[in-house]
Amino acid sequence: MAEQIEWEPLQARAVELMNRAYAPYSNFPVGAAGLADDGRIVSGCNVENAGYGVALCAECGMISDLVGSGGGKLVAVVCVDRTGEAIMPCGRCRQIISEHGGDECRLLTPEGDLSMGEVLPQAFGPANLA
Ligand code: THU
């Protein structure tokens, strides 16, 4: 049975970050929050650019926060849109979350609590480079 995640505080942090997003081009602010295995909450928001393709997803900021604040493993992640509802991370961001959370990391999705292994099956990861 998967560990029971307390989603409310995590989602609240994601909403806080979504409200600080810099998304003047898409007008689609995103916030991401993750629970690290030592109990830290890490977070990020999307940061767009006049060079549209250079936009940083919210999950990239969250991973930078994870690594820069001491590292560790992600246990759970949620990303939200402007309504505060959970959205699916894009494909690239699933890969990024997978690297730091593995298949067991929980993800709050529009279809409920799923594992990273379910939303990114047969992920390419560090073991493939061994
Ligand atoms: N975006 C994210 O921040 N994370 C995702 O997983 C999907 C997309 C951002 C990128 C861009 O700033 C805006 O949402 C519209 O694509």
Side-chain angles (χ1 to χ4, degrees):
M1 185 57 193
E3 187 190 342
Q4 198 47 51
I5 302 295
E6 237 192 285
W7 288 110
E8 279 99 84
L10 216 51
Q11 197 160 354
R13 180 71 72 88
V15 168
E16 212 176 302
L17 268 287
M18 179 275 295
N19 281 311
R20 295 189 204 141
Y22 178 74
Y25 305 107
S26 71
N27 197 27
F28 190 82
V30 179
L35 176 65
D37 56 357
D38 66 355
R40 260 150 62 236
I41 292 183
V42 293
S43 55
C45 58
N46 56 335
V47 180
E48 297 185 347
N49 193 281
Y52 296 165
V54 192
L56 302 175
C57 282
E59 295 89 328
C60 295
M62 177 191 72
I63 291 296
S64 181
D65 188 12
L66 174 76
V67 173
S69 67
K73 196 168 177 186
L74 287 171
V75 173
V77 171
V78 58
C79 304
V80 301
D81 64 13
R82 70 163 71 254
T83 70
E85 291 303 311
I87 59 165
M88 287 305 291
C90 73
R92 181 173 185 268
C93 289
R94 289 183 211 186
Q95 180 71 21
I96 287 170
I97 294 166
S98 171
E99 176 85 16
H100 298 274
D103 283 346
E104 321 76 47
C105 179
R106 307 307 302 179
L107 183 71
L108 189 60
T109 81
E111 295 181 0
D113 178 331
L114 297 174
S115 71
M116 280 305 298
E118 287 172 297
V119 303
L120 188 68
Q122 300 187 56
F124 183 87
N128 295 107
L129 298 177

